[in-house]
Amino acid sequence: GIQVEQSPPDLILQEGANSTLRCNFSDSVNNLQWFHQNPWGQLINLFYIPSGTKQNGRLSATTVATERYSLLYISSSQTTDSGVYFCALTDSWGKLQFGAGTQVVVTP
Amino acid sequence: DARVTQTPRHKVTEMGQEVTMRCQPILGHNTVFWYRQTMMQGLELLAYFRNRAPLDDSGMPKDRFSAEMPDATLATLKIQPSEPRDSAVYFCASGLVPDGGLQETQYFGPGTRLLVL
């Protein structure tokens, strides 16, 4: 199956800092999603981004499908950004394959 | 604001008991997924339905787990008998596959946190 690797596994940021999370994948895919799992366990869709660049507030994402990677940018981080960020890829059947996630802690 | 709902949100039970988890997908969505999240395994797909038909349940232990969609507004995941190793958070997600198109964004419910003693 599709291999999804995320880096770094953990990240500690001071409030206001910027950061980049990376997702590498092993095969061509139909689409890619980024999720944020907050400290209460809720999984929130951030981006549906099979290719190109999207922005939503302080977050943006870029997927380069031909090179099999996607990046999630967090700018001016806030404590509410803490949680786990997952990259997930959809195969031709619509099944999501999740990466192991990046645990982000934003300190005041 | 349409969202996926799951019940119960928390469940504590004893080994050997039956557990039933329910999910109401977003109205109009035609795909439903059941996932399990544990510290050791992360997020795993258990079962997948499209237009109420099971497409893939290869991730589910068949001897004790079963997943059904009695109608378009209800999906169920049942464990019988439950075991301590089934303790996890179980998420339901729904999405839309347009005719001839590809799976779009999946939306997750709040999860059912299961503890089997």
Side-chain angles (χ1 to χ4, degrees):
Chain A
I2 300 170
Q3 303 297 313
V4 183
E5 293 183 357
Q6 291 188 243
S7 59
D10 303 281
L11 192 57
I12 298 177
L13 299 171
Q14 193 155 20
E15 203 168 23
N18 303 328
S19 187
T20 301
L21 283 58
R22 188 176 180 101
C23 173
N24 291 333
F25 43 94
S26 63
D27 204 350
S28 58
V29 293
N30 294 314
N31 62 54
L32 184 147
Q33 291 181 236
W34 282 98
F35 292 89
H36 175 221
Q37 188 167 35
N38 64 26
W40 294 269
Q42 179 69 33
L43 276 160
I44 309 293
N45 298 76
L46 296 177
F47 295 102
Y48 168 79
I49 183 165
S51 63
T53 297
K54 290 186 178 179
Q55 181 153 9
N56 184 1
R58 296 178 296 99
L59 301 180
S60 63
T62 296
T63 297
V64 184
T66 52
E67 296 186 25
R68 300 180 183 171
Y69 73 88
S70 184
L71 302 174
L72 178 70
Y73 305 96
I74 305 175
S75 64
S76 304
S77 59
Q78 299 178 359
T79 55
T80 51
D81 295 331
S82 295
V84 183
Y85 290 81
F86 290 101
C87 163
L89 277 74
T90 307
D91 65 18
S92 56
W93 289 97
K95 292 159 55 178
L96 278 176
Q97 180 67 45
F98 282 84
T102 294
Q103 173 89 50
V104 173
V105 175
V106 182
T107 61
Chain B
D1 186 21
R3 59 184 67 188
V4 177
T5 58
Q6 289 185 246
T7 57
R9 294 292 305 277
H10 304 272
K11 177 72 175 179
V12 180
T13 191
E14 292 185 343
M15 183 173 63
Q17 296 298 305
E18 178 179 298
V19 175
T20 299
M21 291 169 272
R22 293 176 175 81
C23 168
Q24 183 173 8
I26 292 174
L27 191 64
H29 282 184
N30 59 3
T31 58
V32 173
F33 302 81
W34 282 103
Y35 294 89
R36 176 172 62 185
Q37 186 177 34
T38 61
M39 288 293 293
M40 296 300 294
Q41 300 296 328
L43 275 156
E44 305 173 277
L45 178 69
L46 297 175
Y48 165 33
F49 292 82
R50 185 183 297 183
N51 297 322
R52 295 179 55 202
L55 284 194
D56 187 347
D57 60 3
S58 59
M60 200 165 66
K62 303 289 191 308
D63 56 338
R64 298 182 300 107
F65 284 61
S66 61
E68 295 179 349
M69 278 202 77
D71 60 61
T73 64
L74 177 65
T76 62
L77 180 66
K78 191 173 295 187
I79 309 174
Q80 169 62 26
S82 57
E83 297 181 1
R85 59 180 168 152
D86 301 329
S87 299
V89 181
Y90 290 81
F91 288 100
C92 173
S94 73
L96 177 66
V97 179
D99 289 341
L102 298 174
Q103 175 72 53
E104 298 179 354
T105 304
Q106 291 187 23
Y107 296 89
F108 280 71
T112 293
R113 194 172 295 271
L114 174 64
L115 177 61
V116 183
L117 303 174

